[in-house]
Amino acid sequence: MVVVRPFEGIRPAEDLADKVACLPYDVLNSQEAKALAADNPYSFFHIDKAEIDLPEELSPYDPAVYQKAAANLQAFLAQGWLKKETAPTMYLYELTMMGRSQTGLVATTAIDDYVSGKIKKHEFTRPEKEVDRINHIKACDANTSPIFLSYRTNNALQELMANWQTEHSPVYDFDSFHDVNHKVWVIDDTEVVNALTDGFAEISALYIADGHHRTESAVKVGLEKRADQTNSPESDYFLSIIFPDDQLAIWEYNRVLQVPLPSDFFDQLTTAFTVAKSGVKKPAAKGQIQMYVAHEWYTLTIKPTILPEDVVGSLDVSVLQKQVFEKIFGIMDIRTDKRIDFVGGIRGPKELERLVDEDDWNLAFSMYPTRMQDLLDVADAGEIMPPKSTWFEPKLLSGLFLHDLETR
């Protein structure tokens, strides 16, 4: 019921994959990207965050940045650092972190499936972030970053992919950020590609795990090309990597605040939580939140009596937002309020302590990870999670796969 199809992928030369591949553009700032790419002309940051090759005073959203990205992409192709397949292909992408592996199918998915709701979302997007990727896609005439999708595990599909991995050698095999091993297999057998396409045609829905802004941007570019009749068969699809839900790991997405604490702050907390000084830095179960303030860790246990029955309202992040951010501090929109920031779980509780003890923040919350089942349930209900509810690890690297839109 969903369309998953092969494409003539653009990917690195075999001996350069580890040098080209980089973290996603949206998990680090321009200065961090520039430092990582400083001695590496092959880094995909030169395309995905092209501001690193321009004067620092220039805005990362300046038209010159997108022009530079397009020029760098053409230069990578001209020098053979990136190459384009000569026939439609699929790929398998395996990431192994801390002894746990996940394998996704790299293919293209239909913008019409997103429009019709067969590709389901669980987050809202911010217009300014959409515009950035829309401009980037248009300048490069390519999807330069994949969408991270998931589906409810299907044994027949898993067997097809596992057999290909067993019977063939990967074209890429390297370790990168956070000691994650990355392997890629090229699926160039038409019968297997067709079997995978047919198998996904029986899947009722795909779910966006990460990449809501990239999805909205890719879809809007495709629809615009269709409307002004500059579309091609490729621009009706966008680049995706699709993983079974039971292989994915969601990490916590923590919060820090910069707010004046009312004198009765702890008393206000007790209306929704049982509060205890504990020294514990990470929650042990759903329904617990660890709070760091004034060099001390506290355990906040959500009182069952305040939990709503709906799937979104009962999430730990929703309870924290309503009972603390809104009721105590008047923070109504956590997407735009400057008094709050978010810290990915990969950085750990030490980063929360550092931000509170040494930086401008004075209150931190360490969350229990949202469950994958929660994400699927929210998306199936057509509901939206609070922003920054999920942090997936390991991160899918950029630069390993690009999708040429082939605009006429």
Side-chain angles (χ1 to χ4, degrees):
M1 287 199 261
V2 296
V3 179
V4 172
R5 64 192 284 278
F7 65 109
E8 294 179 5
I10 297 172
R11 61 183 180 90
E14 278 74 6
D15 60 336
L16 293 178
D18 61 329
K19 299 179 179 64
V20 171
C22 69
L23 288 170
Y25 76 94
D26 54 354
V27 301
L28 72 181
N29 61 38
S30 301
Q31 290 73 31
E32 291 169 326
K34 188 170 186 175
L36 287 171
D39 299 316
N40 182 9
Y42 308 105
S43 173
F44 196 69
F45 283 134
H46 295 289
I47 295 169
D48 235 13
K49 293 184 78 70
E51 67 270 18
I52 68 173
D53 293 334
L54 296 169
E56 288 188 6
E57 62 269 18
L58 198 68
S59 165
Y61 310 115
D62 190 282
V65 174
Y66 307 111
Q67 295 166 11
K68 185 63 173 174
N72 286 346
L73 172 55
Q74 292 308 310
F76 273 46
L77 288 164
Q79 294 178 88
W81 301 351
L82 293 175
K83 60 181 182 179
K84 185 173 181 179
E85 305 285 5
T86 57
T89 304
M90 289 180 174
Y91 308 88
L92 295 177
Y93 180 18
E94 179 192 83
L95 303 92
T96 302
M97 182 181 191
M98 300 178 181
R100 187 189 61 80
S101 296
Q102 60 188 58
T103 300
L105 180 70
V106 185
T108 57
T109 49
I111 62 174
D112 288 331
D113 281 348
Y114 180 75
V115 172
S116 67
K118 293 179 185 177
I119 297 177
K120 301 185 178 185
K121 61 184 179 181
H122 66 270
E123 287 185 6
F124 285 130
T125 55
R126 295 172 62 176
E128 66 273 18
K129 290 191 174 184
E130 286 183 31
V131 170
D132 169 50
R133 284 302 102 177
I134 286 172
N135 290 337
H136 196 276
I137 293 169
K138 285 182 175 181
C140 295
D141 199 37
N143 301 139
T144 56
S145 297
I147 312 303
F148 183 175
L149 298 179
S150 184
Y151 62 99
R152 296 182 187 275
T153 299
N154 177 284
N155 290 334
L157 285 170
Q158 300 320 112
E159 184 176 355
L160 267 174
M161 290 185 254
N163 288 343
W164 188 269
Q165 287 177 279
T166 300
E167 297 167 4
H168 298 82
S169 298
V171 292
Y172 307 143
D173 183 351
F174 63 92
D175 294 341
S176 191
F177 305 93
H178 304 298
D179 297 318
V180 177
N181 178 254
H182 302 264
K183 292 179 182 175
V184 171
W185 289 259
V186 177
I187 306 178
D188 53 6
D189 184 304
T190 302
E191 289 187 10
V192 176
V193 168
N194 289 341
L196 289 166
T197 300
D198 292 344
F200 273 98
E202 301 299 318
I203 299 293
S204 60
L206 301 175
Y207 300 83
I208 301 174
D210 195 15
H212 285 79
H213 289 94
R214 278 167 274 163
T215 307
E216 286 281 350
S217 303
V219 169
K220 285 179 178 175
V221 169
L223 292 175
E224 182 180 319
K225 288 180 180 294
R226 188 184 292 176
D228 63 20
Q229 298 185 335
T230 62
N231 61 309
S232 72
E234 292 306 314
S235 64
D236 288 333
Y237 297 85
F238 56 89
L239 177 63
S240 301
I241 306 180
I242 316 166
F243 293 86
D245 67 314
D246 62 355
Q247 291 185 12
L248 299 181
I250 300 179
W251 290 39
E252 63 272 20
Y253 215 150
N254 300 319
R255 280 94 163 102
V256 290
L257 299 184
Q258 185 184 44
V259 289
L261 298 182
S263 58
D264 62 344
F265 174 56
F266 281 89
D267 289 336
Q268 290 192 56
L269 286 176
T270 59
T271 62
F273 306 94
T274 301
V275 182
K277 187 184 293 187
S278 64
V280 177
K281 301 180 181 183
K282 297 185 75 168
K286 177 177 169 61
Q288 290 182 355
I289 300 168
Q290 305 307 128
M291 180 179 72
Y292 185 67
V293 59
H295 308 290
E296 297 283 359
W297 282 98
Y298 297 82
T299 296
L300 310 183
T301 303
I302 300 171
K303 294 181 177 179
T305 53
I306 62 95
L307 279 175
E309 294 184 359
D310 66 286
V311 65
V312 175
S314 61
L315 296 172
D316 290 357
V317 288
S318 298
V319 174
L320 182 66
Q321 179 173 319
K322 181 177 180 179
Q323 300 294 335
V324 179
F325 299 164
E326 294 181 10
K327 288 187 176 180
I328 299 179
F329 298 114
I331 297 175
M332 309 307 291
D333 186 353
I334 66 174
R335 294 189 301 165
T336 59
D337 200 300
K338 301 300 183 185
R339 294 173 290 171
I340 186 170
D341 202 3
F342 306 89
V343 183
I346 192 70
R347 297 179 182 267
K350 285 186 177 180
E351 177 66 4
L352 298 180
E353 292 174 334
R354 186 193 71 78
L355 290 168
V356 171
D357 294 342
E358 303 174 19
D359 214 324
D360 295 330
W361 309 93
N362 66 320
L363 188 59
F365 295 93
S366 175
M367 309 301 297
Y368 189 75
T370 302
R371 300 171 301 180
M372 191 66 196
Q373 186 61 50
D374 292 330
L375 185 155
L376 300 179
D377 290 344
V378 169
D380 281 339
E383 300 289 344
I384 297 296
M385 286 184 176
K388 311 297 184 183
S389 294
T390 57
W391 178 277
F392 284 90
E393 288 288 350
K395 296 297 181 189
L396 312 185
L397 295 186
S398 294
L400 294 176
F401 316 98
L402 289 81
H403 173 224
D404 186 354
L405 298 184
E406 300 178 355
T407 298
R408 293 199 298 265

